[in-house]
Amino acid sequence: MQPSSPLPSEVDENIGFIDFHLAEPLRLAIEKLAFSQPTLTQIKTIPLALNHHDLLVSAKTGSGKTAAFILPTLQHLITNAKPTAGIHALVLAPTRELARQIAKQSEQLSQFCNLNIALVTGGEDFKQQQNKLHHSPDILIATPGRLLELLEQDSLMLNHISILVLDEADRMLDMGFNDAVLSILDKCNPNRQNLLFSATLPSGVNKIAFKILKNPEWVTLTTLQDSHVDIEQQLILADDINHKQQLLAWLLLNQNYDKAIVFTNTKAQVALLQGPLRGQKLRVGSLHGDLDQKERNRIMSLYNAGEINVLVATDVAARGLDVKGIDLVINFDIPRNGVDYVHRIGRTGRADNKGLAIALVKDTEWNLTAGIERFLKQKFKRRVIEGLEGNYKGPKKLKASGKAAGIKKKTELHKTAGEKIKLRLRNKKNIGKRRQPSNKT
């Protein structure tokens, strides 16, 4: 399989939704939702999907990809008679939050259609979901883990699936869902259309694409190394965790933003930050893997409504959140790799809106940050907060990679050990000399 060129000449970038020749119920929904102009992802993807091609699409978050696969799916179900009752379209998403957002937009776009949509994810009542599936929804949106549990309980059949969508396939593989996804696909109707969407196309995604896609069209719109022209990326040096907390509080109190996300690497750090920030009269909520689904839903509802405008989160929130108005991302902890960094800052600068991403970097995180800059092929803008300047100014010497250059020399421990060996040898010689018999009478 070979990707198509990023901008094929046969695609007119000025095309409107009317040019897709969608069914009237979909046109009415688009008008009601005030979708004025399709995004580039939609322009390039929808016509191919409507022509029943298998697709492998690389597109960034916030590019309108949900409508890019839901509109063709709805069109197919509206215009093709369903011979039997059952699930005819399946959408797999890696996280509960993303699955819920896909379900919400699907319901909005299908509001004038006589179609039923069901959502099943972890964290919800299992028996209620089983009962929901007994009503044979037309479209099922699910996370892989819970769907596999339902399949193992013989709670549903997927042999009537005519369209399968894998959204954020790279994230699904990162989360260890490769085997679960393949097990689910084995139970689906083999004569189906497959639409695979991914922010990036790493080798794992290409492997699964090779297994499931049939003569696919490639639509390559973005890579992780894209410059993120809509996001200004800044770096602030910090001495230690306490200094970081001071910088964070200042930024959240003084920076102009509608909504902000603060990312940490651990649940424990989320807990440590939340209290002091609330003590600054900031409207703060937290999101991490230990929260049950009811609490996660409550927090996200408050965040969407603007009742809280700062979310302190682990990487559980780095993918799958599509919240309007996020214009500030602060990396309190530097992520472990460039891929995670891109997914974090991708919460802002969406749909051509401007965003700001700030990384708080202490000495032990310098090399991680330099590696991310090298991965992105760009340098972050250095920033200093007046009155909160730290003592750490960065490494004195740098390698060509941008990482700190260490001086190669023996450690004091090795020196001491060597000196001890020499001292023992010298003592042995001296002891031997003292023990020799005297020639004097």
Side-chain angles (χ1 to χ4, degrees), residues 16 20 22 30 90 102 122 142 215 219 224 311 375 385 393 436:
F20 296 144
L22 297 168
I30 288 168
L90 172 63
I102 294 171
N215 301 317
V219 180
L224 277 180
L311 190 64
F375 174 77
I385 305 298
K393 307 299 181 184
Q436 288 179 358

Side-chain angles (χ1 to χ4, degrees), residues 55-275:
L55 298 183
L56 178 57
V57 182
S58 172
K60 69 178 182 178
T61 54
S63 62
K65 58 187 176 65
T66 301
F69 60 73
I70 287 298
L71 283 172
T73 299
L74 294 172
Q75 175 79 1
H76 174 81
L77 296 181
I78 291 170
T79 57
N80 291 276
K82 296 173 289 182
T84 58
I87 301 166
H88 291 272
L90 172 63
V91 181
L92 288 178
T95 66
R96 304 170 191 176
E97 284 74 23
L98 179 57
R100 289 175 62 226
Q101 287 163 19
I102 294 171
K104 181 180 178 181
Q105 188 161 9
S106 299
E107 289 167 355
Q108 291 173 335
L109 289 169
S110 65
Q111 60 187 290
F112 299 108
C113 307
N114 185 25
L115 295 171
N116 296 319
I117 297 169
L119 170 67
V120 296
T121 68
E124 301 288 353
D125 186 88
F126 191 84
K127 288 187 176 180
Q128 287 184 5
Q129 292 184 345
Q130 284 180 313
N131 293 333
K132 187 188 300 183
L133 294 173
H134 288 157
H135 292 87
S136 296
D138 301 291
I139 301 173
L140 176 62
I141 299 161
T143 50
R146 175 50 58 91
L147 182 58
L148 194 58
E149 289 176 344
L150 289 162
L151 285 168
E152 289 170 349
Q153 295 293 323
D154 295 324
S155 298
L156 74 161
M157 299 288 289
L158 301 178
N159 54 327
H160 297 304
I161 296 292
S162 56
I163 296 180
L164 169 76
V165 179
L166 295 184
D167 194 17
E168 296 203 353
D170 51 351
R171 178 62 168 164
M172 232 176 288
L173 298 184
D174 287 344
M175 294 173 68
F177 285 134
N178 183 70
D179 291 341
V181 169
L182 292 177
S183 295
I184 291 167
L185 300 190
D186 283 342
K187 300 180 185 299
C188 292
N189 171 23
N191 300 315
R192 63 180 187 267
Q193 181 183 14
N194 301 286
L195 308 177
L196 192 155
F197 285 73
S198 187
T200 58
L201 298 177
S203 59
V205 171
N206 288 328
K207 286 178 182 178
I208 198 169
F210 183 79
K211 288 181 180 179
I212 70 171
L213 300 181
K214 302 168 186 175
N215 301 317
E217 293 283 346
W218 286 48
V219 180
T220 307
L221 292 166
T222 184
T223 67
L224 277 180
Q225 285 81 7
D226 284 345
S227 59
H228 301 282
V229 292
D230 294 323
I231 305 174
E232 181 179 348
Q233 298 177 68
Q234 299 178 355
L235 179 155
I236 301 177
L237 295 177
D239 293 337
D240 50 33
I241 294 295
N242 290 333
H243 188 201
K244 278 193 179 189
Q245 289 179 329
Q246 294 173 26
L247 291 167
L248 176 63
W250 188 95
L251 289 167
L252 293 176
L253 289 167
N254 294 279
Q255 193 74 42
N256 290 324
Y257 61 92
D258 184 15
K259 291 187 178 77
I261 295 186
V262 179
F263 280 109
T264 74
N265 289 343
T266 65
K267 292 172 283 190
Q269 191 62 260
V270 170
L272 288 173
L273 291 180
Q274 183 173 279

Side-chain angles (χ1 to χ4, degrees), residues 17 23 29 31 41-42 140 154 183 194 300 345 375 439:
F17 282 106
E31 289 174 10
T41 298
Q42 293 161 359
L140 176 62
D154 295 324
S183 295
N194 301 286
M300 289 311 302
I345 70 168
F375 174 77
N439 292 326

